[in-house]
Amino acid sequence: MTRKKVKLAYITNDSARKATFKKRKKGLMKKVSELSTLCGIDACAIVYSPYDSQPEVWPSPVGIQRVLSQFMKMPEMEQSKKMVNQESFLRQRIVKANEQLKKQRKDNREKEMIHVMFQTLTAGQSLQSLNMMDLSDLGWLIDQNLKEIQKAFEKNNNVNDSTTQAPSAPVSGPVLTNPNLEFEQLFEDQKPGTLGFGMNMQSQQWPMDMLNNQAQTGTGTGTGTGTWLPAGEDMILPFGENQPNAFWSSGFFR
Amino acid sequence: MVRHTTGRRKQEMKKMTNEKNLQVTFSKRKNNIFKKASELSILCDVEIVIIVFSPANKAFAFGNPSVESVLNRYLSENPPPMSGTLQLAEAYRRSNVRNLNSELTQVVNELEAEKKRAEDLRKMRLASQAECWWEKPIEEQSVEELQRFKRALENLRENIAQEAQALEFQSSPQFGTKNDEFDAGFGI
């Protein structure tokens, strides 16, 4: 296996093209054969070669005839429903790739914002390098966090059934005059928590569920980690186009 | 976000027993075969047709330049003559394919760049968590910790509002100086 990235264009070098043709044709036939065996289905492949008058076929001329007649017998609609040519196939691939790209960008943006948020909270990074869009997205993220905190308070209230832990109770402890500096000091006496947070690829629950909670009304119990809901498909993400709130105008994808 | 599946497995070359896996395998492999066929036809400029029937007996077909043209070529004895109009249409088609291909390559490259960025962000996150261990899930924080966190967040939100106002002010006509530096955050 060469593992070299091949540019997807016609190979002008004759010998290279011939070698590539042989290799890839062989591989293609093998794949078709494997598919047929593994899934117990009928298939056929015809590859015309510039080096041979006769095309290379799989499984065999007889086998091909059988599959072709099976294909031709079908009504026109059934034949063409899942039929693609080079152009339409490429178009489909472009659409899919664009969707993936959009999704990945959204996701990256969210991760980036989480990072910025914690940088400003702890490392004292200034807000000056941020533009309006960043500020608005950051604000959204903070609101989400606050909502989650509120939920956690309420849950705590229900569990404890005590009145001493109302969310509006004054905080005991030093007032944050300079949040950036004193924040780290405040937590020096805390014992280290677990790091199953945010960027854990397996259970990316926190950021996704934060967003999920905005979209869903109920609070179900997630799988395995208490109040976390599994990430849903259609959640309202801030880092996209569908922001109803006028101030938090987010035109990230223009 | 990408979820990593169970990874590549060595498959025994006989019909699969698990119905669900079979369907998934069919789907994935069929798509891959079409992709390979498409690549082969571009790289070597060859005519190809692939026809597969799904487990539910649906017909899937790929053809370059088209399924019909290659099947016609295969089934008929005499190759059809290439008329002038056909040649023109073919040249147009080729040019189209080239453009689509370039576009696809571009999008795929951008996707790869974003995936790499995702990986970098992930590493950054892990590194920052290792340093600031208080960045734990809200669920795991105590009420006291949460209240402090809440205060810090509210404080930050105020700062943001101030900063936003400042930005707006700078870009307003009265000042005029910062206009060209102003990021197109408003869609301007």
Side-chain angles (χ1 to χ4, degrees):
Chain A
M1 282 298 130
T2 41
R3 288 286 166 240
K4 247 188 300 192
K5 197 136 191 235
V6 181
K7 186 171 178 239
L8 217 50
Y10 178 68
I11 300 174
T12 44
N13 182 322
D14 287 342
S15 55
R17 190 173 66 249
K18 187 167 185 180
T20 298
F21 176 75
K22 269 181 97 174
K23 218 194 229 183
R24 281 183 175 253
K25 174 181 53 82
K26 185 174 174 202
L28 184 63
M29 296 306 186
K30 183 176 178 203
K31 288 281 180 189
V32 176
S33 167
E34 286 180 356
L35 177 65
S36 178
T37 308
L38 282 172
C39 301
I41 50 102
D42 286 324
C44 74
I46 302 171
V47 179
Y48 276 94
S49 155
Y51 315 108
D52 218 338
S53 56
Q54 289 303 314
E56 174 138 355
V57 299
W58 189 91
S60 64
V62 175
I64 293 226
Q65 284 303 338
R66 198 168 50 82
V67 175
L68 283 186
S69 54
Q70 193 181 341
F71 183 68
M72 311 284 211
K73 259 188 242 168
M74 300 176 94
E76 162 94 41
M77 179 115 104
E78 298 296 314
Q79 286 181 24
S80 44
K81 207 183 213 179
K82 290 295 180 179
M83 191 189 286
V84 288
N85 58 29
Q86 184 74 283
E87 284 170 280
S88 57
F89 184 64
L90 287 175
R91 286 209 180 87
Q92 280 178 11
R93 283 192 66 194
I94 288 172
V95 168
K96 273 188 211 162
N98 271 323
E99 280 171 9
Q100 284 182 290
L101 180 62
K102 188 171 166 180
K103 210 171 176 191
Q104 187 69 62
R105 280 201 176 129
K106 234 186 231 191
D107 205 77
N108 284 355
R109 173 72 175 172
E110 174 201 322
K111 300 282 190 296
E112 195 125 23
M113 275 298 129
I114 291 174
H115 184 82
V116 166
M117 184 179 89
F118 282 114
Q119 286 295 104
T120 24
L121 284 176
T122 57
Q125 188 174 304
S126 96
L127 294 172
Q128 287 180 351
S129 52
L130 302 179
N131 62 38
M132 207 59 193
M133 186 91 59
D134 299 334
L135 291 176
S136 120
D137 285 344
L138 190 54
W140 190 92
L141 187 61
I142 290 175
D143 285 341
Q144 285 309 107
N145 271 266
L146 288 172
K147 279 192 188 139
E148 282 304 308
I149 293 176
Q150 197 57 33
K151 281 208 174 87
F153 280 150
E154 284 164 13
K155 184 176 180 236
N156 221 0
N157 283 344
N158 293 338
V159 168
N160 287 342
D161 207 40
S162 94
T163 53
T164 56
Q165 304 217 353
S168 52
V171 180
S172 58
V175 175
L176 296 173
T177 50
N178 184 344
N180 296 330
L181 263 177
E182 292 179 33
F183 206 48
E184 269 186 332
Q185 291 170 4
L186 282 178
F187 286 84
E188 266 175 40
D189 55 338
Q190 300 282 340
K191 60 175 175 23
T194 54
L195 301 175
F197 177 79
M199 291 304 292
N200 183 340
M201 293 302 271
Q202 262 84 34
S203 57
Q204 289 196 349
Q205 305 203 308
W206 190 69
M208 293 313 270
D209 293 331
M210 258 165 45
L211 305 166
N212 203 35
N213 282 330
Q214 196 200 30
Q216 301 191 15
T217 49
T219 50
T221 45
T223 49
T225 48
T227 55
W228 302 124
L229 301 166
E233 276 304 300
D234 41 335
M235 34 188 146
I236 305 169
L237 294 171
F239 314 106
E241 295 112 299
N242 48 356
Q243 262 309 314
N245 192 331
F247 179 70
W248 303 128
S249 66
S250 148
F252 180 57
F253 292 108
R254 300 181 202 107
Chain B
M1 199 57 213
V2 173
R3 285 182 203 282
H4 300 293
T5 50
T6 46
R8 298 178 75 180
R9 274 188 292 209
K10 186 136 196 203
Q11 285 182 305
E12 222 186 300
M13 274 309 138
K14 62 182 181 82
K15 184 170 176 188
M16 298 174 76
T17 44
N18 184 322
E19 180 77 41
K20 237 198 281 184
N21 289 349
L22 193 148
Q23 187 55 51
V24 171
T25 296
F26 172 79
S27 213
K28 284 184 170 178
R29 277 179 176 255
K30 177 202 43 98
N31 283 335
N32 195 38
I33 285 171
F34 279 16
K35 184 173 165 213
K36 292 279 184 192
S38 168
E39 289 178 354
L40 175 55
S41 54
I42 290 176
L43 289 169
C44 305
D45 190 23
V46 288
E47 301 197 350
I48 298 180
V49 72
I50 311 246
I51 301 176
V52 303
F53 286 94
S54 75
N57 235 0
K58 249 204 235 175
F60 294 81
F62 169 86
N64 176 63
S66 73
V67 172
E68 302 100 328
S69 69
V70 184
L71 284 186
N72 280 335
R73 179 177 175 186
Y74 184 73
L75 293 171
S76 72
E77 292 299 324
N78 308 315
M82 233 341 176
S83 78
T85 354
L86 277 180
Q87 276 183 336
L88 193 60
E90 176 60 14
Y92 177 73
R93 188 198 70 88
R94 278 169 189 272
S95 146
N96 228 13
V97 167
R98 263 199 304 274
N99 291 337
L100 286 171
N101 204 14
S102 301
E103 195 184 332
L104 178 61
T105 305
Q106 192 184 333
V107 178
V108 167
N109 286 340
E110 283 178 51
L111 181 58
E112 267 172 43
E114 289 294 329
K115 283 193 174 154
K116 173 150 196 322
R117 177 86 186 125
E119 182 58 23
D120 291 342
L121 283 169
R122 189 182 74 88
K123 287 186 182 148
M124 254 163 57
R125 199 76 202 95
L126 287 177
S128 112
Q129 276 181 328
E131 287 170 18
C132 311
W133 45 262
W134 58 269
E135 292 178 14
K136 52 187 176 177
I138 285 177
E139 198 183 39
E140 295 181 25
Q141 295 189 27
S142 72
V143 177
E144 231 180 28
E145 288 173 318
L146 283 179
Q147 283 174 332
R148 287 171 179 166
F149 192 29
K150 182 178 172 188
R151 282 293 219 83
L153 285 177
E154 285 169 339
N155 221 310
L156 183 56
R157 190 166 59 172
E158 268 178 45
N159 292 343
I160 287 176
Q162 283 173 19
E163 188 68 27
Q165 264 194 331
L167 273 182
E168 245 188 87
F169 209 42
Q170 279 172 355
S171 77
S172 71
Q174 289 98 336
F175 279 81
T177 46
K178 293 262 183 186
N179 267 348
D180 41 348
E181 291 174 23
F182 188 79
D183 192 85
F186 280 132
I188 297 169

